[in-house]
Amino acid sequence: MTEASALPGQPRGGVISGPATARAHCVLAPNPSPMTLDGTNTWIVAEPDSDLAVVIDPGPLDEGHLRAVIDTAERAGKRIALTLLTHGHPDHSDGAARFAELTGSSVRALDPALRLGDEGLDAGEVITTGGLELRVVPTPGHTGDSLSFHLPADRAVLTGDTILGRGTTVVAHPDGRLGDYLDSLRRLRSLTVDDGVATVLPGHGPVLNDAQGAVEFYLAHRAHRLAQVETAVEAGHRTPAEVVAGVYADVDRSLWPAAELSVRAQLDYLGEHGLIEG
């Protein structure tokens, strides 16, 4: 059995739900699947001595889960004052409108269609609620509207689906673009090098104790996959489905449709950079 410390990013063992850092608490949504892993991680983030909390990604429209998030905050003596979205995929955002009804909080997101209230989110913006400091980090690539949130006091970053606690993420073509995704990974790497970020609080899967190791693994994985796709095209595989069958042969077939989205993004990237013929 492989030790967690030997895996990319050093995933934290044990139950996913519960306290992760001094300021971040995970409530796991009951929506496990091959794509969502154990389920969606809904994050309650607050200063320990504050009675106000921020929730990041309320998750699917599941009444029991939404109320569990509220109950968890209330047991800690906190009121949810703000809801943030890392991106608009339904497993992260479908419960946001109902959650806003239950809590009276506004919903802020990069995509105006997902907002409930007048305010959006801007790159580099610093959100302060109840003394908490969260910095908005643009991390497009998985989707065009993907954001991460830097939590400096805990040397942590909440990454949504940009970095997962287990496995790798999908570049969801055509909205997601590989060039953007690689830039986003490099931006996250700079947080680990320049800002001391050590912990990844992902949208799915366990907490990662080695943020820099996780980012380096993701960058190496993408470079490896790109080389494989380029080789597959040179060998005569022309359609995304053909490339998936050749390159992702060792991956569970239930994940091939998602893999095809990433392959389409990789083919676009290779074409744009003149590495394959269009």
Side-chain angles (χ1 to χ4, degrees):
M1 186 173 180
T2 304
E3 292 289 334
S5 60
L7 296 173
Q10 297 182 18
R12 191 174 298 177
V15 178
I16 290 176
S17 279
T21 68
R23 292 164 181 79
H25 187 110
C26 179
V27 182
L28 180 64
N31 61 333
S33 74
M35 290 298 293
T36 60
L37 304 181
D38 309 270
T40 301
N41 295 338
T42 294
W43 290 100
I44 302 171
V45 190
E47 283 296 316
D49 59 354
S50 173
D51 62 355
L52 299 179
V54 175
V55 163
I56 298 173
D57 289 348
L61 182 53
D62 181 292
E63 191 79 7
H65 172 63
L66 300 179
R67 292 190 179 276
V69 175
I70 297 169
D71 290 346
T72 300
E74 289 181 346
R75 284 196 298 271
K78 301 183 187 301
R79 175 178 65 84
I80 295 162
L82 177 64
T83 301
L84 304 175
L85 297 178
T86 61
H87 65 296
H89 278 169
D91 56 309
H92 294 257
S93 67
D94 265 7
R98 175 58 177 155
F99 193 68
E101 290 179 0
L102 293 171
T103 62
S105 66
S106 61
V107 177
R108 297 180 64 184
L110 185 62
D111 185 349
L114 299 171
R115 301 172 190 165
L116 291 173
D118 297 329
E119 291 186 284
L121 292 169
D122 297 316
E125 180 179 356
V126 178
I127 296 166
T128 55
T129 300
L132 181 75
E133 180 180 311
L134 284 170
R135 300 176 183 173
V136 180
V137 182
T139 49
H142 170 65
T143 60
D145 68 333
S146 287
L147 297 171
S148 295
F149 297 98
H150 179 198
L151 179 56
D154 285 348
R155 298 176 61 210
V157 61
L158 298 106
T159 55
D161 283 357
T162 299
I163 292 180
L164 305 178
R166 185 170 66 250
T168 55
T169 197
V170 173
V171 179
H173 178 87
D175 181 40
R177 296 180 59 81
L178 183 57
D180 291 342
Y181 186 65
L182 294 174
D183 288 342
S184 293
L185 291 178
R186 296 182 189 110
R187 191 171 296 118
L188 291 173
R189 180 171 58 186
S190 75
L191 287 181
T192 71
V193 174
D194 300 330
D195 296 277
V197 166
T199 304
V200 172
L201 307 176
H204 303 279
V207 170
L208 298 177
N209 293 322
D210 177 15
Q212 186 172 353
V215 175
E216 296 292 359
F217 170 76
Y218 266 61
L219 284 165
H221 170 78
R222 284 297 164 196
H224 179 63
R225 283 297 193 210
L226 265 177
Q228 287 181 309
V229 170
E230 187 175 2
T231 298
V233 172
E234 290 172 352
H237 299 291
R238 289 290 175 257
T239 69
E242 290 172 349
V243 173
V244 168
V247 172
Y248 292 80
D250 59 339
V251 174
D252 188 325
R253 282 179 175 254
S254 68
L255 298 175
W256 279 18
E260 186 170 324
L261 295 179
S262 283
V263 164
R264 289 180 182 275
Q266 289 165 328
L267 291 172
D268 279 359
Y269 179 88
L270 291 168
E272 289 166 1
H273 288 77
L275 299 173
I276 60 173
E277 294 183 4

